Structure formats: structure tokens, C-alpha cells
């Protein structure tokens, strides 16, 4: 038995999108002529949005619409576009009235028509793309290129002037907006949240950005939740809960929600104008109190809940089915206009309902009295330099990283926490750049041994304080370190900060970095497209420190053992991705300095936070990191001859175990010639034709030989090394050891043994790969197996590794 849908309740009247405006803020700030002009601008936006989806020709309907005027493939999304344009044009009024800098972030997926239209009408689009002129000829090109081969996509991609947020992957609009507002005291970031987007995890946590904005020094974020009621073919949750519950929800999050609801355009224009006037005034009052009176308590920022019909102003019904205000308005409301004359006529009537002859002159140029509603120059949201942040980017004032290194007499004799000196270096980077550099992390900077940064800047905290917070809490309303246990929000804030021209650093546990796999993907794609756009200025690189790594998860266990983020990074364009695995303090400092100076990359640095052996002096580290990989002479004994074996590694623990294996082999077989190669820059392993950092085949062959066995001890999953080197001449002799999903609550050495990256497994493997040792090495293999068993038994009895193994040093 099929149950019937529930009957509408008496609460439905409170949550519908149709009718005259219902608003929290009362007032009619617009004259009748202003309402008429704003609605004409709104009609122009909607006309362009429909034209982008449908029209290939006849852009101003100078003749009756024919099938040949319609695109063969109808792609794009209509439903959220009117709401976006409505917000955009009303923000234009605010910009002009208050001389207020505003940038616009469109959260709803595929909402580009609602943004591209006002950007074109304000003149920004033509200013950047001269071939898309402000006339009928340019309008035809503008329509054709949308969702068309060789054209532009249906999101607010990097090609969209004024965009720093694509919206194609939902959930990040508020965190991006917050990052853009940091240290931009005169900026308001208007962030439109789609109500489908509001159902995502990243967006749900990012409502808490209001706790991280300092009104004394930061700009403001104005969230605008556009409740159009539907996703692709489902209702949205927030649009179907009682009005009082929705209001209470946002009050509980710390906002002052201002509702603007309805579909009657004249009254909606008045309501939105009054509401935005109120919000901007409230924002300025909060900022004045903080900047002039020193008020540092958590403010209640305003936000807008804009409830409008999905596909607002579109056809009410198509083929007997409801469209406007329903999920059928989401994408292309009529897809059969080539073959269905009735729907072709309906499309023509829809387009003509916007009265394009009143909006554009005979040449197809937007009428100047309507264009005058938009700001001019860099006040236009399509031309605001904050949305092309490379124009504002200034190089960091960098301290000399060499001064933060460590010194020692011999390699592999002392142990140091690799990331702690990096924290001291970052402290002074922060000190030198107190308005354009921030450190982000999900509650882990102290755990990751970067806590020296608090000597210069505490963790920002403006919410309630307890007395005990003074005892090591490191909290301050003036702090510049941002910590929240949401990798999504931290990553989004950092991206927004970088894309508006600043610099940052983000550290997280290796096991948790997978939370932002898709965010990294989207940012890398963004940078890839920006590299093809001459007008997009270079931004600072996104720098990720991956620490608390797989090989030191003896306390957290199997769930925290996953080095697979590197595999994800290798999927992205070689033009924007870099991976570094520095094995010690001095190489980590060299790599970090390089990354902080770089532009338009995603730099992934893998370095554990625990005690590790130190191998390279600062001068040696600089040379080694500059090359990206190289032979360590002190760990090799093949000088002047060909090696019998090449031992290589990438990563701190794999390097220690590879060197310990070399020592075991040399002690048992003094005549054995072994070459040791350390890899810092992982992409050096790829051919130069595949990655700009790649080695030539000649250099690779020279280092790794053409025919000798190579044992490669790797930090991550072993198949990644094979993927990077499969075209190399000696790949058939390359034997990679890495993490193989074999772990639990193990000691470090036992975990290495389980995955066969330990010194004993490596030494045994070497014997098996060398023909001259396969028989003669039997006694050594037995010895190494006994040592391995002894190591495991000791760990099970005492809970720690045997000191002679855990505190091993280089014996030669």
C-alpha cells in the first residue's frame, strides 16, 4: 500500500515563498522610480540568464524565435539564478550609497547565470574580455559561450570576473568569505548560501565563522541564505521547518537573522533595500564600537534569510506541471523546444516577458540610465581587486631560515623534533607580517610542536572566557592563529585568505587531511585554470604541513594510519602540485622557506613531529633540497665504481630504516657496494616530460643505474612510486616498500616490521635481489630474522621498542 503525502499544516503559510514581501525590517527606502529602475535591472539579469541557457542566435528577439536560434544542447541551471541576481543588484545599491567595498560569493551550485548577467551589465565582463562587447554582437557571443565547447562553465569559475568561489562543489562559501574578510577592515563579503548547500557538513560547521571575525581589524561577512526551497528534485530541509525554529536556529548560532520573504517584486525590492540598509548600518556600528571604544566581546552579526521561489519570474507551469517555485525549475525548465512548437512559443513568451526592448537600445547596449544603478571602476564587484587577490599580494618579509637550524658533528647521531624549529621560524614569519600572514589548524598546533607561534600571536578567541583559560589556553581577542576542529572550515578560510592576496600556513594530522581531499582538488583545479588566464594575478601558494604521520601512530592505531593523501595530490595538474618529504629539521626549514615564497602552487610537506635522527647540516640541506634528491656520500660506499645495490628512501622513518639496513649489510658484507639516494621532492621521480620538476632520463639513469636492483623505502603506499617511475629504464629492478594497511597499536619498529619497511626486511630483501648473496647470505638472513623476532617480542613484553633499535645511530 502506497501512503499518501502528508497534508500541508497550518504552518505552511509561514514558510511559503509567494506573495507580498514579509520582512523582519520594515521600511520603504526606495522611491517608485527607484523600484521601477531596480526591477528593470532585475529583468535584464533574468533575461540574460535565460538567454545563456537557451540562445545561440537572435539575442534580442528582433525576430520570432525559431528552432535554429536555440542551442542544440541545453545546459545550465536556471533555478537559483534569479535569487543571485536579486542579491547582486541590491548590493550594488549598498556599494553606491555607502561607498562600501563589497565582493560577492555565490554558494549555490551552477548559479553562474545569476552572477554573469549583472557582471556583464555593469561592464566588468567586457572590460576583461574585449571580444564580448556591450552590444548585440557581443551579447550573442556572451550567450553562445555559456556551457558551450570552448566557452565557459555553469559555475562561477575563475573565468568569472569578481569570483573567488566557484560553487560547483557545495559547502565552502562561508569559510571562503571569512578568509577573505580577515585583515580587510573595510570589506564586506556578501556570501549567498544555497539552501541545498546548507545541508552539507562543511557549510553546517562554517556558520561558526562569526566567532573568528575581529570587528576591530577584520572586514565583515554578510551571509544571505537563499531559501528557494528545492534541490534537483527534493525539498530542502531549512525551507520546510517552522519559521520560529529557523529563526531560533540562527539566533542560537549567534546571528541576528533578518527575513525577506515573498515573490511580489515591488514589495520585495523595498524589503531587501530596507534590510540591507539595516545590516550594513549594524555592521558599521559593531565595527565602530570595536575600533573606537575597544569593545572586544562577541558581536551578534546580522544575516539575511531570503525566501524566494525557485526559478523566480520563470514559467509557472510547463506541460501541466508546476515549475516556478518547484524543483522542476532547478535546471532547464523546457528541454524539448526544438521539437515542441508549444514549448518553443512558451520560451519566447518567457523571454519577452522581461521586455528586452525596454532594457537594451537598438544596438543591443544596456540602457545607460539602468547601467548607472551599478557602481563604477573598482567598486564594481566584478572588478574589485580583492577578488583578484594577486593584484594586492605583497611578498612576505622573510627571516633567514638558516638561523633556525640545528648543528651537529656527525650525521645520524642526535634526535630532534623536526617540526619544533619550524614553529620558531613561523613565529618570526608571523612577527614580520602581522597583517598578511596567518597560521591555521584544527586544534593541533601545539600537538604539532608549532606552539612557538603563540609567543607572537595567540589563538583568536572572542567568545566566552573562563578563569582557567589563562593557564596555557593561549587565547586572545587579538590573536592571529585560527584553530577550529573542522578541517573543512580551516582549509576554506585559508583559501579565501590566499585568493584575496595574503599568505598562510596550515598543518594537520596525516590521518585527517583526507577530510579536505575534495577541497584540495577544487583549489588545485582553480589554480590550473587561473594559470591560463592572463588577467588573473598570481596568488600565494597553499602550504599544507602533513604531520603526526603514519609511522608514529603507535598510540592511535590503525584508524590513524593512512598516508594516501599523496596519491590524491598526484592526480592533479603537474603545473600546480608539489610534494616534499624532508627527512630532518634543516631540510624541513629549507623546504618551508621555499614554499612560503612560492606562488600559484599547492605545496604538500610531509614531516613528522616526533624525535628523529638528523642527517644534513644547513648548507648540505639547502643543496639537497635545491636538487630535490641526491646521493648521500657519507651513507654510500660505491665511490669510484658501480654499486651492487641502490638503496633509496623518501620520508623520515623510511630514511632511518633504509640507513639502518645499509649499516646491517655493510657490517655483514664489507665488500658490498651500496649507493644511498634520498628523495625530498617526490616529483623528481617523474620524467621531465610529465612534471616540471622531473629528472631527465639521463640523470635518473645515472643515479639509479640501468640494471642494478633498487630498494626504495617510501613513506606512503608503495604503488605511488611505481606510478611515478613506470617509464624509467630500470623500473623492472625497482622494488618499493611502503605502507600496506597492516597496523594496530604497535610500537614504531613493530609497525615498520608489519609493513616490511623495517631495516631487517630491507636487508633481507637486498640479499634476495643480489645473485652473489642468495646463497652466501643465508647466515645473515637468519641473523636478521632473529633480530626481527627479538624486536617484536621485546615490544610485546615491555610496550616499547628495544633501545638499541629505537635509539640506533649511524655506526660508520
Amino acid at each position: 500500500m502506497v501512503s499518501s503525502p502528508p497534508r500541508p499544516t497550518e504552518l505552511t503559510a509561514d514558510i511559503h515563498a509567494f506573495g507580498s514581501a514579509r520582512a523582519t525590517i520594515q521600511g520603504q527606502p526606495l522611491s517608485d522610480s527607484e523600484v521601477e529602475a531596480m526591477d528593470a535591472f532585475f529583468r535584464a539579469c533574468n533575461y540574460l540568464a535565460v538567454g545563456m541557457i537557451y540562445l545561440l542566435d537572435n539575442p534580442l528577439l528582433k525576430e520570432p524565435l525559431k528552432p535554429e536560434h536555440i542551442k542544440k544542447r541545453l545546459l545550465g541551471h536556471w533555478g537559483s539564478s534569479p535569487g543571485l541576481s536579486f542579491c547582486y543588484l541590491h548590493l550594488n545599491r549598498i556599494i553606491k550609497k555607502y561607498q562600501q567595498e563589497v565582493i560577492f560569493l555565490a554558494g549555490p551550485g551552477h548559479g553562474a547565470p545569476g552572477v554573469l548577467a549583472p557582471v556583464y551589465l555593469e561592464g566588468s565582463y567586457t572590460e576583461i574580455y574585449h571580444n564580448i562587447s556591450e552590444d548585440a554582437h557581443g551579447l550573442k557571443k556572451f550567450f553562445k559561450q555559456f556551457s558551450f565547447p570552448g566557452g565557459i562553465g555553469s559555475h562561477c569559475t575563475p573565468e568569472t570576473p569578481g569570483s573567488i568561489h566557484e560553487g560547483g562543489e557545495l559547502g565552502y562559501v562561508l569559510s571562503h568569505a571569512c578568509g577573505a574578510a580577515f585583515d580587510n577592515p573595510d570589506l564586506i563579503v556578501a556570501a549567498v548560501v544555497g539552501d541545498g548547500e546548507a545541508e552539507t557538513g562543511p557549510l553546517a560547521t562554517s556558520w561558526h565563522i562569526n566567532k573568528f571575525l575581529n570587528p576591530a581589524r577584520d572586514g565583515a561577512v554578510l551571509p544571505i541564505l537563499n531559501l528557494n526551497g528545492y534541490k534537483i528534485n527534493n525539498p530542502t530541509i531549512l525551507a520546510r521547518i517552522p519559521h520560529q525554529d529557523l529563526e531560533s536556529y540562527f539566533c542560537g548560532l549567534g546571528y541576528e537573522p533578518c527575513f525577506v520573504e515573498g515573490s511580489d517584486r515591488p514589495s520585495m525590492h523595498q524589503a531587501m533595500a530596507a534590510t540591507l540598509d539595516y545590516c550594513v548600518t549594524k555592521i558599521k556600528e559593531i565595527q565602530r564600537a570595536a575600533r573606537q571604544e575597544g569593545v572586544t566581546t562577541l558581536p551578534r552579526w546580522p544575516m539575511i534569510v531570503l525566501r524566494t521561489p525557485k526559478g523566480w519570474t520563470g514559467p509557472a507551469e510547463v506541460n501541466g506541471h508546476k515549475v516556478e517555485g518547484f524543483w522542476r525549475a532547478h535546471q532547464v525548465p523546457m528541454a524539448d523546444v526544438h521539437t515542441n512548437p508549444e514549448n518553443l512559443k512558451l520560451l519566447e513568451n518567457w523571454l519577452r516577458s522581461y521586455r528586452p526592448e525596454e532594457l537594451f537600445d537598438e544596438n543591443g547596449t544596456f540602457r545607460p540610465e539602468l547601467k548607472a544603478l551599478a557602481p563604477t571602476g573598482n567598486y564594481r564587484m566584478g572588478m574589485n581587486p580583492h577578488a583578484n587577490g594577486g593584484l594586492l599580494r605583497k611578498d612576505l618579509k622573510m627571516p633567514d631560515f638558516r638561523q633556525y637550524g640545528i648543528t651537529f658533528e656527525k650525521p645520524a647521531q642526535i634526535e630532534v623534533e623536526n617540526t619544533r624549529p619550524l614553529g620558531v621560524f613561523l613565529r618570526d614569519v608571523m612577527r614580520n607580517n602581522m597583517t598578511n600572514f596567518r597560521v591555521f589548524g584544527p586544534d593541533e598546533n601545539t600537538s604539532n610542536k608549532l606552539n612557538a607561534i603563540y609567543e607572537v600571536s595567540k589563538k583568536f578567541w572572542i567568545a566566552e572566557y573562563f578563569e582557567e583559560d589563562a593557564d596555557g589556553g593561549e587565547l586572545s581577542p587579538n590573536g592571529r592563529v585560527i584553530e577550529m576542529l573542522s578541517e573543512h572550515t580551516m582549509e576554506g578560510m585559508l583559501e579565501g585568505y590566499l585568493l584575496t592576496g595574503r599568505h598562510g600556513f596550515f598543518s594537520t594530522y596525516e590521518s585527517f587531511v583526507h577530510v579536505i581531499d575534495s577541497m584540495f582538488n577544487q583549489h588545485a583545479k582553480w589554480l590550473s585554470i587561473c594559470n591560463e588566464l592572463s588577467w588573473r594575478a598570481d596568488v600565494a601558494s597553499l602550504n599544507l604541513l602533513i604531520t603526526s604521520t603514519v609511522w608514529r601512530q603507535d598510540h592511535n592505531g590503525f584508524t590513524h594510519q593512512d598516508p594516501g593523501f599523496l596519491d590524491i595530490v598526484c592526480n592533479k595538474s603537474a603545473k600546480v602540485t608539489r610534494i616534499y618529504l624532508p627527512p630532518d629539521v634543516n631540510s624541513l626549514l629549507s623546504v618551508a622557506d621555499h614554499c612560503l615564497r612560492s606562488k600559484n602552487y599547492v605545496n604538500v610537506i610531509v614531516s613528522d613531529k616526533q624525535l628523529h635522527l638528523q642527517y644534513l647540516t644547513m648548507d648540505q640541506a639547502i643543496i639537497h633540497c635545491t636538487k630535490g634528491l641526491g646521493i648521500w656520500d657519507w651513507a654510500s660506499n660505491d665511490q669510484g665504481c658501480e654499486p651492487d645495490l641502490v638503496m633509496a628512501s623518501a620520508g623520515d622513518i623510511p630514511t632511518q630504516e633504509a640507513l639502518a639496513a645499509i649499516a646491517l649489510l655493510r657490517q655483514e658484507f664489507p665488500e658490498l657496494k651500496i649507493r644511498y639516494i634520498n628523495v625530498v621532492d617526490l616529483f623528481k621521480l617523474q620524467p621531465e616530460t610529465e612534471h616540471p620538476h622531473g629528472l631527465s632520463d639521463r640523470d635518473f639513469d645515472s643515479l639509479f643505474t640501468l640494471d642494478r636492483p633498487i630498494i626504495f623505502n617510501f613513506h606512503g603506499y608503495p604503488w605511488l612510486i611505481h606510478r611515478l617511475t613506470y617509464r624509467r629504464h630500470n623500473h623492472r629492478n625497482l622494488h618499493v616498500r611502503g605502507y600496506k594497511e597492516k597496523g594496530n597499536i604497535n610500537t614504531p619498529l613493530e609497525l615498520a616490521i608489519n609493513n616490511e619497511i623495517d631495516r631487517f626486511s630491507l636487508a633481507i630483501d637486498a640479499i634476495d635481489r643480489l645473485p652473489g648473496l642468495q646463497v652466501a647470505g643465508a647466515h645473515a638472513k637468519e641473523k636478521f630474522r632473529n633480530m626481527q623476532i627479538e624486536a617484536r617480542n621485546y615490544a610485546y613484553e615491555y610496550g616499547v621498542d628495544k633501545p638499541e633499535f629505537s635509539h640506533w645511530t649511524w655506526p660508520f
Side-chain angles (χ1 to χ4, degrees), residues 13-134:
D14 292 330
I15 61 174
H16 71 84
F18 288 95
S20 295
R22 308 176 303 280
T24 307
I25 306 302
Q26 299 298 304
Q28 294 191 330
L30 304 177
S31 67
D32 289 345
S33 61
E34 287 174 320
V35 170
E36 184 178 345
M38 293 195 77
D39 197 59
F41 200 112
F42 186 42
R43 285 188 282 122
C45 290
N46 290 330
Y47 180 81
L48 264 59
V50 180
M52 278 182 256
I53 295 171
Y54 283 99
L55 295 184
L56 188 65
D57 203 351
N58 195 14
L60 291 167
L61 301 183
K62 295 289 188 180
E63 58 179 298
L65 196 61
K66 301 174 184 177
E68 56 264 32
H69 298 153
I70 310 298
K71 295 178 180 179
K72 299 295 185 185
R73 295 180 70 215
L74 298 178
L75 303 171
H77 290 66
W78 160 246
S80 61
S81 294
L84 287 166
S85 292
F86 185 76
C87 295
Y88 198 106
L89 73 94
H90 275 275
L91 288 164
N92 279 343
R93 172 183 168 272
I94 289 299
I95 293 169
K96 293 190 69 175
K97 179 175 180 178
Y98 296 97
Q99 290 296 288
Q100 173 65 53
E101 280 199 287
V102 180
I103 61 173
F104 187 83
L105 276 61
H110 302 275
V115 178
L116 287 164
V119 169
Y120 175 81
L121 294 173
E122 74 185 12
S124 297
Y125 205 89
T126 299
E127 195 164 321
I128 290 176
Y129 302 105
H130 302 305
N131 62 317
I132 309 293
S133 52
E134 295 184 72

Side-chain angles (χ1 to χ4, degrees), residues 546-616:
I546 310 303
T547 188
S548 191
T549 56
V550 55
W551 302 111
R552 286 298 178 87
Q553 289 302 324
D554 42 303
H555 57 303
N556 286 317
F558 192 42
T559 58
H560 283 49
Q561 297 164 6
D562 189 338
F565 185 69
L566 301 186
D567 299 68
I568 303 296
V569 176
C570 288
N571 291 337
K572 297 299 109 183
S573 169
K575 293 181 179 179
V576 299
T577 50
R578 304 290 185 267
I579 297 174
Y580 301 100
L581 295 103
D584 62 2
V585 166
N586 291 336
S587 57
L588 174 59
L589 289 166
S590 178
V591 164
D593 179 80
H594 169 77
C595 291
L596 287 170
R597 295 175 186 272
S598 68
K599 298 182 287 291
N600 279 27
Y601 297 143
V602 177
N603 296 309
V604 177
I605 307 170
V606 182
S607 180
D608 188 62
K609 63 188 181 182
Q610 306 294 351
L611 289 167
H612 291 276
L613 287 170
Q614 302 300 304
Y615 308 109
L616 303 174

Side-chain angles (χ1 to χ4, degrees), residues 453-718:
I453 54 178
Y454 303 139
E455 297 170 21
V456 169
S457 180
K458 305 296 185 184
K459 293 176 274 190
F460 178 75
W461 190 258
I462 202 172
E464 293 295 330
Y465 280 83
F466 293 159
E467 182 178 346
E468 55 265 31
D469 290 330
D471 183 17
E474 305 289 5
L475 305 179
S476 169
N478 297 313
R480 299 182 52 76
V481 179
I482 305 297
E483 296 189 21
M484 174 184 170
L485 197 53
S486 166
E487 289 84 358
H488 285 126
T489 307
M490 294 296 96
E491 170 75 10
M493 286 179 176
L494 173 57
E495 290 176 2
Y497 199 60
L498 298 175
L499 292 171
T500 47
R502 281 72 63 76
H503 305 256
F505 193 89
F506 180 22
S507 70
T508 188
Y509 289 179
E510 185 173 58
S511 56
F512 298 150
V513 71
H514 277 298
V515 173
I516 58 168
D517 278 357
S518 58
M519 295 189 75
F520 152 76
N521 278 339
Q522 295 302 316
H523 189 73
K525 288 174 182 289
W526 180 279
L527 292 177
S528 295
I529 297 297
C530 286
N531 284 334
E532 307 301 321
L533 301 173
S534 61
W535 61 274
R536 284 279 184 186
D538 292 345
V539 296
S541 296
L542 193 157
N543 300 306
L544 289 172
L545 172 66
I546 310 303
T547 188
S548 191
T549 56
V550 55
W551 302 111
R552 286 298 178 87
Q553 289 302 324
D554 42 303
H555 57 303
N556 286 317
F558 192 42
T559 58
H560 283 49
Q561 297 164 6
D562 189 338
F565 185 69
L566 301 186
D567 299 68
I568 303 296
V569 176
C570 288
N571 291 337
K572 297 299 109 183
S573 169
K575 293 181 179 179
V576 299
T577 50
R578 304 290 185 267
I579 297 174
Y580 301 100
L581 295 103
D584 62 2
V585 166
N586 291 336
S587 57
L588 174 59
L589 289 166
S590 178
V591 164
D593 179 80
H594 169 77
C595 291
L596 287 170
R597 295 175 186 272
S598 68
K599 298 182 287 291
N600 279 27
Y601 297 143
V602 177
N603 296 309
V604 177
I605 307 170
V606 182
S607 180
D608 188 62
K609 63 188 181 182
Q610 306 294 351
L611 289 167
H612 291 276
L613 287 170
Q614 302 300 304
Y615 308 109
L616 303 174
T617 67
M618 182 56 75
D619 288 341
Q620 290 171 337
I622 293 170
I623 293 171
H624 184 51
C625 293
T626 301
K627 293 188 299 182
L629 84 174
I631 299 170
W632 285 3
D633 283 336
W634 58 267
S636 307
N637 67 344
D638 68 325
Q639 291 85 349
C641 61
E642 280 202 75
D644 300 306
L645 170 73
V646 176
M647 187 77 74
S649 67
D652 35 40
I653 289 295
T655 292
Q656 171 188 290
E657 293 304 306
L659 291 171
I662 291 173
L664 289 174
L665 290 167
R666 286 176 58 179
Q667 287 163 349
E668 294 297 317
F669 309 105
E671 302 303 315
L672 188 65
K673 300 301 181 183
I674 304 175
R675 174 180 298 176
Y676 172 69
I677 297 173
N678 183 268
V679 179
V680 173
D681 182 346
L682 196 63
F683 285 118
K684 285 288 181 181
L685 298 176
Q686 275 196 302
E688 59 185 348
T689 55
E690 301 300 317
H691 196 284
H693 283 198
L695 281 182
S696 69
D697 280 337
R698 286 189 176 185
D699 285 342
F700 190 92
D701 293 344
S702 177
L703 286 168
F704 288 93
T705 77
L706 284 169
D707 56 2
R708 301 307 163 97
I710 307 163
I711 297 176
F712 197 116
N713 216 27
F714 180 47
H715 172 85
Y717 292 107

Side-chain angles (χ1 to χ4, degrees), residues 66 107 113 127 137 139 144 149 177 260 302 325 350 366 416 433 444 469 535 546 548 600 610 630 707 736 774 788 793:
K66 301 174 184 177
E127 195 164 321
H137 182 69
L139 198 57
K144 178 182 177 180
V260 179
W350 177 15
F366 194 41
V416 176
N433 303 275
E444 294 163 1
D469 290 330
W535 61 274
I546 310 303
S548 191
N600 279 27
Q610 306 294 351
D707 56 2
V736 185
Q774 286 178 359
Q788 195 176 59
N793 289 341

